[in-house]
Amino acid sequence: MVGAGDEVSAAEREVVELCRELIAIDTSNYGDHSGPGERAAAEYVAEKLDEVGIEPTVYESHPGRSSVVARVPGEDSGRAPLLVHGHLDVVPADAADWTHDPFGGEIFDGCVWGRGAVDMKDMDAMVLAVMRQRMREGRRPPRDIVLAFLADEEAGGTWGARWLVDRHPELFADCSEAISEVGGFSVTVAENRRLYLVETAEKGIAWMRLIARGTAGHGSMTNGDNAVTELADAVARLGRHRFPIHLTKTVRTFLEEVCAEFGIEFDENDAEATVARLGSVASMLGATLRHTVNPTVLDGGYKANVIPGTATAQVDGRFLPGLEEEYFAEIDRLLGPNVSREFIHHLPSVETEFEGGIVSAMSESLLAEDPGAKAVPYCLSGGTDAKSFQSLGIRNYGFAPLRLPPELNFSGMFHGVDERVPVDGLRFGARVLDRFIGMS
């Protein structure tokens, strides 16, 4: 095991190039199969695994929509395996908005730039680099590792994780725990102190279509049953509504840890002020204090002088773990009796305990590379493929370790312009991940 300050390991040398090469493969996901798909990236990953004796299988759920799954035997195959998964697709990027080519994988100012640098080809590269080094050196993990590099996460996983769980559950059915994205990154709270946020919970997702029906007619006439008016009122009620703060177990634990680090007393009535201390990640974490719903699309009518019989809208709803029934009851109250709703996409919330051997391995591996590290649980306001794997009874954690400079707006990198990951962060992540796998 090579640590900070020692000779650079093979994984540290390789992880940067792997990340650059993955970024250079355009896997933009437009949500309608119109993009390039993940096939080229899946073949790249399969080749890198095959080179070191790991036997991959490529699964294609739809032409071009490909995932890779492989199992690495551990020293004790009687133990439940660990699932390590990442997605190969990325959200689209307009090169005109970027400082560097979003699919160039360029290194500039100490960072690898490009779409997917943090979401999540950085973690894909770390997993590949670490597993390739371990296989070359004959270092088997303590238990079997199931590797999954997945399609379609950026559109809800329908053609990736969800398809595999539905069609090939035997690939993962014996796994007890999983690690993946949006966790393990650092937030600096003092010069020599960093919190590493491990995702143990995710809000549920409810993308909904709202439908108002009324009486069609001429635009010059009086109409007391106007679908557009009814819909506009409902959308305005939703958009202006502010759900009350509700501290779930994960969020409460996170806030208590933050207060302890800042030396202040935890006041659950002032949770937003506590989150505000965390700088650039405050907006992401603040969204986990309450349910949210945001109008995103309006559609009604087809001519200025025609009152349509139907008007529709779309909203993005996110609900806290364990509170789904309460959430939809309030949504229906706000919509009123004349507007109905249907799901465009509905995924459950996720929450697991921050305890056990896997959490100890995370903490110890981080401390070995950063003596100022402290691992803390947090809730993600978005969603990941964990939602699909939870249905198999797998405990899910976000742990893609990165030590980040305090000035980097990390949360703004997700789906943002000029997405980039520090080279030093990638190398740090490879070291931590190698230690973690050896302890898990």
Side-chain angles (χ1 to χ4, degrees):
M1 182 69 62
V2 179
D6 296 330
E7 181 183 348
V8 176
S9 68
E12 289 177 78
R13 288 194 300 270
E14 191 175 37
V15 67
V16 176
E17 285 308 306
L18 289 169
C19 186
R20 295 181 66 196
E21 290 171 3
L22 281 166
I23 287 170
I25 303 172
D26 183 355
T27 53
S28 298
N29 187 348
Y30 296 90
D32 58 2
H33 299 309
S34 64
E38 300 86 359
R39 182 77 196 193
E43 290 176 350
Y44 172 90
V45 167
E47 180 182 353
K48 294 298 181 183
L49 295 175
D50 187 63
E51 283 178 357
V52 294
I54 298 174
E55 297 182 11
T57 301
V58 176
Y59 295 87
E60 191 164 82
S61 56
H62 186 276
R65 311 307 305 277
S66 304
S67 300
V68 183
V69 181
R71 183 175 290 236
V72 181
E75 294 175 351
D76 183 0
S77 290
R79 291 179 58 195
L82 171 69
L83 171 61
V84 180
H85 64 95
H87 61 85
L88 296 172
D89 62 322
V90 297
V91 295
D94 185 346
D97 297 331
W98 286 58
T99 305
H100 298 271
D101 180 359
F103 299 104
E106 298 176 42
I107 296 179
F108 180 78
D109 198 23
C111 292
V112 179
W113 294 61
R115 178 59 84 216
V118 302
D119 187 13
M120 64 170 294
K121 290 180 176 178
D122 58 338
M123 178 61 166
D124 294 336
M126 286 190 278
V127 172
L128 281 175
V130 167
M131 296 311 299
R132 281 165 61 84
Q133 178 180 337
R134 295 185 74 93
M135 292 299 289
R136 286 183 177 126
E137 295 174 354
R139 290 188 293 125
R140 296 174 65 186
R143 55 173 162 162
D144 288 6
I145 303 288
V146 176
L147 302 174
F149 298 85
L150 303 162
D152 201 39
E153 190 275 346
E154 295 294 2
T158 301
W159 300 100
R162 187 71 258 165
W163 185 87
L164 284 169
V165 166
D166 289 342
R167 302 289 187 92
H168 300 282
E170 72 282 356
L171 296 173
F172 317 105
D174 57 344
C175 295
S176 58
E177 298 148 328
I179 63 166
S180 189
E181 62 176 330
V182 206
F185 58 92
S186 68
V187 174
T188 300
V189 296
E191 183 178 357
N192 296 310
R193 188 62 162 171
R194 279 158 295 280
L195 300 180
Y196 286 82
L197 277 56
V198 176
E199 187 217 301
T200 59
E202 296 179 4
K203 294 175 81 174
I205 297 175
W207 298 344
M208 293 173 281
R209 182 179 291 104
L210 312 181
I211 305 165
R213 292 181 172 84
T215 302
H218 199 288
S220 67
M221 304 292 184
T222 300
N223 189 323
D225 187 29
N226 189 312
V228 173
T229 301
E230 197 70 51
L231 180 73
D233 285 346
V235 168
R237 288 193 295 272
L238 287 179
R240 295 192 180 104
H241 184 70
R242 191 167 174 81
F243 286 89
I245 288 177
H246 188 114
L247 301 184
T248 62
K249 181 177 180 179
T250 296
V251 172
R252 181 180 293 275
T253 300
F254 170 74
L255 293 175
E256 289 172 348
E257 295 281 4
V258 170
C259 287
E261 290 299 321
F262 283 105
I264 59 176
E265 185 177 350
F266 172 59
D267 181 359
E268 66 178 76
N269 296 315
D270 202 17
E272 289 176 305
T274 300
V275 170
R277 291 175 174 267
L278 297 174
S280 62
V281 298
S283 60
M284 180 175 74
L285 298 172
T288 66
L289 300 178
R290 51 168 55 91
H291 303 302
T292 60
V293 61
N294 285 301
T296 52
V297 178
L298 283 171
D299 184 20
Y302 49 89
K303 197 170 186 293
N305 65 343
V306 178
I307 298 171
T310 303
T312 64
Q314 295 178 33
V315 298
D316 184 339
R318 310 286 172 134
F319 51 90
L320 295 168
L323 299 169
E324 182 170 355
E325 185 176 341
E326 165 198 290
Y327 176 75
F328 287 114
E330 182 66 358
I331 291 293
D332 290 340
R333 185 190 71 79
L334 291 165
L335 288 178
N338 299 321
V339 177
S340 61
R341 61 176 172 86
E342 62 185 27
F343 290 120
I344 300 170
H345 205 58
H346 181 205
L347 293 171
S349 58
V350 175
E351 189 164 32
T352 193
E353 300 295 327
F354 189 65
E355 62 184 23
I358 191 168
V359 171
S360 297
M362 292 175 191
S363 297
E364 291 173 26
S365 61
L366 286 166
L367 277 168
E369 297 296 336
D370 180 4
K374 182 174 184 178
V376 298
Y378 89 104
C379 178
L380 178 66
S381 58
T384 73
D385 283 329
K387 295 182 183 302
S388 293
F389 292 117
Q390 176 185 245
S391 65
L392 296 177
I394 298 172
R395 295 175 60 194
N396 292 274
Y397 297 89
F399 187 67
L402 289 172
R403 177 170 171 172
L404 301 169
E407 67 275 9
L408 184 68
N409 181 8
F410 184 66
S411 62
M413 298 292 100
F414 287 87
H415 299 189
V417 172
D418 287 344
E419 185 179 349
R420 60 198 183 275
V421 62
V423 168
D424 288 344
L426 284 171
R427 291 172 176 160
F428 171 88
R431 295 195 302 270
V432 172
L433 194 62
D434 191 18
R435 289 183 183 274
F436 166 77
I437 287 174
M439 296 175 183
S440 65

